[in-house]
Amino acid sequence: MKDESKSEAKQFYKSLFVIVAPIALQNLLSSLVNSLDVLMLGFVGQTALAAVSLANQVQFLMMLFFIGLASGLTMLTSQYWGKRDFKSLQILTGTALRISCGAGIVFSLVVVIFPQFVMRAFTDDVALIENGATYLRIAGVSYFFLSVSQVYQAVLKSIEYVKISTLTTVLALILNMVLNATFIFGWFGLPKMGVTGIALATVIARFVEAAVCIWAGLGLKEVKLSPLCYFMRSKLLFKDFVKYSLPAVGNEFVWGAAFVSYSVILGHLGEDIVAANSVVNVARNLSSIVCFGMAYGGAILLGKQIGEGRLELAGRNARRLMLSTIGAGVLGSIFMVLLRPVLPLLAELSPAASDFRNYLLYINAYSIVGATVNTVLICGIFRSGGDSKFGFLCDGFFMWFVMIPLGFLSAFVFKLSPLTVYFILYLDEFIKMPVIILHYRRGKWLKNITRDEV
């Protein structure tokens, strides 16, 4: 039995590596490009850096909608992939595209038409509002292109075409990086465009990414992901999609909107802590690449096994996924601390912001461990079996009825120092962790959610 168990574990880790390695590479390049963005914006000035950081909270919120939608889509498509039901895959892709594109258009129109109104939600600093509004007027156009590429990439990953998804993202990221440098530094005889250049580069890169995703979908062998999938419908699958994706979207929104609220709180505590946080987030993203890649990649493997009807195997592999991902989170936390000497090179901050940066680094380092535990369980293991409601209810309660009120009281009633407020806000992962672990141990998340007929 021990030999069988070792062989089973070896096969799982091998399959996990095949999926996680491209995802981790994709996330690594994305973080590196974001690091270069911060570095290049640092040359423009601290105000530009802080303004774009706040303005991107809108895209962050929108991306959470797409991530939730993609997560609900992955719950179903990974299981139907295991079942080899390709028609259902195409119908689900079309369903997700209709919803995603509609949301992308709404987000684009709001930020392009009312950019200053949007920025005032995050700060009352006139310089930050003006710079952020300039960025949003242009960058908002890219939101529609993201609505297309995010659905395609979710399906490509869920049917184990991870390399294609990664190559598509890598192409867009490299293009974005080159264009950022071109427009900011005025290469090839172009004028230096500052914040406007960053926004324009984003639009071009996202357009190319969406176009390549559509082209890649047309070239698949087993299942063609043609734009015509947009018009394919099934009442039963639409009902299932809504059932499993809406709680996932709600989960991402309540979690993400809470983090946006954290940014609102910080935005009213001064430019220094906002700028410091934008730099530290680069280190956090780099340090959490592997553990978050394992969480989302593992969900694809578990979903496929559940769709194949191998529920007991999926249960054993879920435990392996959880323990290995937590180990990766601990290593990521250590790595983040080791990045401290590098952070001053990313952007030139004021003395006060530089002081904040060092403290924020340690706060985020311990927070990564908690985030890893909760992410692998809620977004990886639970969702692989179609359980998206628990995360929605858990995050909704703990973040909106505990952490946000505590944050506002700390900042605006008790008027605690910015560092103390930041420390309190980043305790959220540990407060909800016991409830999440208890739900995992009960095992009610392990279910096959596919249909025999659509």
Side-chain angles (χ1 to χ4, degrees), residues 348-365:
E348 185 176 347
L349 302 179
S350 68
S354 297
D355 191 44
F356 281 141
R357 179 192 60 217
N358 295 330
Y359 287 106
L360 267 53
L361 179 70
Y362 290 109
I363 293 173
N364 277 269

Side-chain angles (χ1 to χ4, degrees), residues 57 132 134 211 267 294 310 326 402 447:
Q57 293 302 311
T134 299
M294 290 174 68
R310 299 190 290 171
I326 293 172
V402 178
K447 294 179 181 178

Side-chain angles (χ1 to χ4, degrees), residues 63-73 75 244-250 252 383:
M63 283 298 295
L64 290 170
F65 175 82
F66 292 151
I67 290 170
L69 199 70
S71 182
L73 180 62
M75 287 183 217
Y244 295 109
S245 66
L246 279 189
V249 170
E252 298 294 343
R383 289 184 186 178

Side-chain angles (χ1 to χ4, degrees), residues 29-94:
L29 289 173
S30 178
S31 294
L32 288 175
V33 170
N34 289 338
S35 303
L36 289 171
D37 283 353
V38 171
L39 179 63
M40 288 184 276
L41 276 170
F43 283 102
V44 179
Q46 180 174 301
T47 300
L49 175 64
V52 172
S53 174
L54 288 177
N56 273 332
Q57 293 302 311
V58 180
Q59 180 174 309
F60 171 70
L61 189 61
M62 178 192 67
M63 283 298 295
L64 290 170
F65 175 82
F66 292 151
I67 290 170
L69 199 70
S71 182
L73 180 62
T74 301
M75 287 183 217
L76 290 160
T77 52
S78 61
Q79 290 200 16
Y80 278 110
W81 175 248
K83 196 176 180 180
R84 313 303 285 176
D85 184 345
F86 302 141
K87 180 181 177 182
S88 294
L89 275 169
Q90 292 174 317
I91 295 172
L92 287 165
T93 300

